[in-house]
Amino acid sequence: MTNHWVDFRNADVILIMGSNPASNHPVSFKWIQEAVDKCTDEIGDVIMVMPGVYDETVTVDKTHVTIVGAGNKRSSIIQPSTDGAEGMSVTVDNVTLINMYVSAHANGDYALLIAAGVENFHAEGCKFADSDARCVEMIGVSGVLLDNCEFSDSAVGIDTVLNVAVLCDRVTVKNSLFHNISTAHVKTTGGTTNLQLLGNVHDADVDNVEPTDFLLINAAGTTGIVAGCVFATATNAAGTLTIDADVYWVANMTEAGVSAARPA
C-alpha cells in the first residue's frame, strides 16, 4: 500500500481491490469520528467499523447514520484512554448503532449519551459499559429502541433524565442483559412515558451481590410496562424493584417463579 495516511483521512470514498488494508494497516482506518464527519445529513450513510479498539470519543452529529461493528458486540470497541472521557454522544435524530461496544474511561459520566431532544435512536446487539456513573444516559428523548444489548460495570445501567421539563417518551429496552451494576439497572431520574422493559435479564454481579435497585422507575410522570423480565433475586417483594403506580407489571420472574403480582 503506497497511499499516505492523509489520503485516507481526506477521501470521501475508498475503493480497495485485492487487499485488506483495514486489517494489514489498521492505523490508516482508526478514525470513527472522521468517518462520521464525512457523512451527509439525510443520505443514510453506513459506517463499517473493523474489529479493534478505538481510543477516541465519538460525537454523532449527522442524521440518518448507521454505524455497524464487524463481528459481535465485543469486536469493535470504542474505549477512550483519557481520564474522564466518555465513549459516544448522539446529538441528532435517526441514528442506528449495531454490534458496537461503547465504553467510557472509568471516570467518565457515561458510555453513551443520547442528547437532549433526540428522536428515533436504535441500538441492536451493542454493549455499553465501564463508566463509574452510567452506561447510557438519555435526556428528554423519544423513540429509543435498545434491542439485544448488554449493560455492565457501572453504577447505573440506563438513566432517563428530563430535558428542562420534557420527559423521555417511548423508550423500549428488550431482550437485553444487565449485570455487574451496583445502584440501578434502569432508573428514571426524570419521568418517562411509555417506558417498555420487555424480556430482559437482570443479573447480579460476579459475587452474586444484587444492585441497590434492579428497577428504580418511580419518578413523577412515569408510565409503561415491565413484562417477561427475569430478576436475580428471591422474590418480587425484595425491595429492589421500585416501580411507579402507572407502570404495569406483567408476568415477570424471580427465583420464586413467575408472578404477576406487583412488587411490594
Side-chain angles (χ1 to χ4, degrees):
M1 190 183 77
T2 59
N3 301 81
H4 193 277
W5 304 143
V6 175
D7 294 340
F8 289 90
R9 186 167 189 165
N10 293 328
D12 291 322
V13 178
I14 301 171
L15 175 63
I16 300 168
M17 300 179 66
S19 65
N20 187 3
S23 177
N24 298 325
H25 305 279
V27 71
S28 63
F29 286 79
K30 68 178 183 178
W31 303 291
I32 298 176
Q33 185 63 62
E34 293 289 342
V36 172
D37 293 343
K38 292 289 184 181
C39 292
T40 304
D41 285 327
E42 309 298 337
I43 296 300
D45 292 303
V46 178
I47 299 170
M48 296 296 300
V49 181
M50 295 300 294
V53 178
Y54 296 81
D55 183 358
E56 60 179 320
T57 296
V58 177
T59 300
V60 183
D61 56 1
K62 300 293 179 65
T63 63
H64 298 89
V65 168
T66 299
I67 301 176
V68 183
N72 61 37
K73 59 190 172 189
R74 293 179 175 85
S75 297
S76 302
I77 305 169
I78 297 174
Q79 189 176 67
S81 61
T82 303
D83 185 51
E86 285 83 26
M88 176 183 288
S89 62
V90 176
T91 63
V92 293
D93 301 342
N94 302 305
V95 171
T96 300
L97 202 61
I98 301 173
N99 296 341
M100 291 292 297
Y101 183 158
V102 182
S103 66
H105 187 273
N107 295 322
D109 285 338
Y110 51 81
L112 170 69
L113 170 67
I114 310 174
V118 165
E119 298 182 0
N120 303 324
F121 174 84
H122 177 198
E124 182 172 354
C126 295
K127 180 174 181 178
F128 306 100
D130 306 320
S131 165
D132 283 348
R134 55 191 66 81
C135 298
V136 177
E137 181 178 3
M138 311 178 190
I139 305 175
V141 301
S142 63
V144 169
L145 172 61
L146 306 176
D147 186 6
N148 189 29
C149 291
E150 182 178 352
F151 309 86
S152 71
D153 301 285
S154 185
V156 175
I158 297 172
D159 193 2
T160 64
V161 181
L162 293 174
N163 176 18
V164 189
V166 178
L167 281 64
C168 292
D169 179 46
R170 293 180 293 115
V171 174
T172 300
V173 185
K174 67 178 186 176
N175 305 321
S176 293
L177 171 63
F178 296 80
H179 64 94
N180 291 290
I181 292 173
S182 59
T183 302
H185 289 186
V186 181
K187 178 181 180 182
T188 56
T189 298
T192 302
T193 54
N194 298 302
L195 173 65
Q196 299 179 348
L197 306 178
L198 310 173
N200 302 308
V201 174
H202 296 265
D203 204 353
D205 68 12
V206 292
D207 297 316
N208 203 32
V209 176
E210 299 177 18
T212 305
D213 290 278
F214 284 104
L215 302 180
L216 187 59
I217 52 174
N218 62 340
T222 298
T223 65
I225 185 170
V226 181
C229 295
V230 180
F231 299 91
T233 191
T235 73
N236 65 358
T240 57
L241 297 163
T242 305
I243 67 173
D244 191 88
D246 290 324
V247 175
Y248 288 97
W249 175 271
V250 182
N252 295 285
M253 289 166 277
T254 65
E255 186 180 20
V258 179
S259 176
R262 294 181 64 83

